[in-house]
Amino acid sequence: MEQDMSTLIARHSAALALFTERVHAVRPDQWAEPTPCTEWSVRDLVNHLTAEQLWVPDLVTDGATIAEVGDAYEGDVLGGDPRAAWDAAARAARRAFAAPGALERTVALSYGETPAPAYCAQMTTDAVVHAWDLSRAIGAPERLPDDLVAFALDEVTPYAAQLSQTGLFAPPVEPPPGDSHQARLLALLGRRA
């Protein structure tokens, strides 16, 4: 179990590092560019991931509920320096999940009480998939690390069919021919590689 938790922490850290690399590759003229997330510009996408990271210390470290946090992370959380805002939020999330005993906790998410490891796995998967979105939007290399893709595919496959019902994900699409784990992951989440 300890090995599984340290592997999960390592995957989470690697996913945040991957997204960080993409955030730092955004050129000044690209923040308004569209992304595969049709409602979001590059800035909106980075803002979304930054806000998600800001929630982690409140939920994991402090044991706060969604209601207690309220609308603290609504709207623009990037301010005048999106890279610095992302970096600070990612560091805080990484610290919160890696703290001794953090993954033994239960967190209060919008859909109910959730074991912290499940929350960490979801956050890891979100960072991996959105790293691809950001890569596509800014013209960065779209190939994601195999270990992160395999992790995200294992994580999302059991509940992928229900994700489009939330309104937050596009319906799954048919993956292209071949057996690419990355193409299958993206297709499950309504993205065309």
Side-chain angles (χ1 to χ4, degrees):
M1 185 66 163
E2 186 66 34
Q3 176 65 24
D4 290 346
M5 293 302 119
S6 63
T7 299
L8 177 57
I9 293 298
R11 292 283 186 270
H12 177 256
S13 185
L16 291 184
L18 176 66
F19 195 79
T20 297
E21 181 182 290
R22 297 311 192 263
V23 170
H24 284 265
V26 177
R27 294 188 320 262
D29 64 331
Q30 291 181 310
W31 290 103
E33 291 296 312
T35 70
C37 305
T38 56
E39 303 296 314
W40 289 341
S41 67
V42 167
R43 184 180 175 95
D44 295 333
L45 176 62
V46 174
N47 189 72
H48 164 71
L49 256 290
T50 302
E52 292 227 325
Q53 305 319 306
L54 290 171
W55 277 93
V56 175
D58 289 337
L59 299 177
V60 175
T61 306
D62 300 339
T65 65
I66 300 288
E68 289 168 341
V69 177
D71 62 359
Y73 307 121
E74 294 288 317
D76 180 23
V77 297
L78 297 179
D81 191 345
R83 287 181 191 89
W86 162 258
D87 290 347
R91 271 192 309 275
R94 191 179 293 114
R95 265 194 315 272
F97 277 128
L103 294 183
E104 297 166 14
R105 299 180 184 133
T106 299
V107 294
L109 301 181
S110 59
Y111 51 86
E113 296 289 312
T114 304
Y119 177 42
C120 186
Q122 292 164 18
M123 294 291 283
T124 301
T125 298
D126 206 38
V128 170
V129 173
H130 285 316
W132 180 85
D133 293 330
L134 189 52
S135 297
R136 172 143 297 183
I138 67 171
E142 294 179 14
R143 180 82 177 133
L144 302 171
D146 291 339
D147 60 334
L148 290 178
V149 169
F151 176 89
L153 188 59
D154 286 347
E155 168 62 23
V156 80
T157 296
Y159 56 81
Q162 291 92 30
L163 289 176
S164 65
Q165 297 167 8
T166 67
L168 301 173
F169 294 85
V173 297
E174 189 65 33
D179 191 26
S180 159
H181 283 82
Q182 180 169 316
R184 284 201 335 244
L185 172 66
L186 296 172
L188 275 175
L189 298 172
R191 291 154 169 86
R192 296 193 185 277

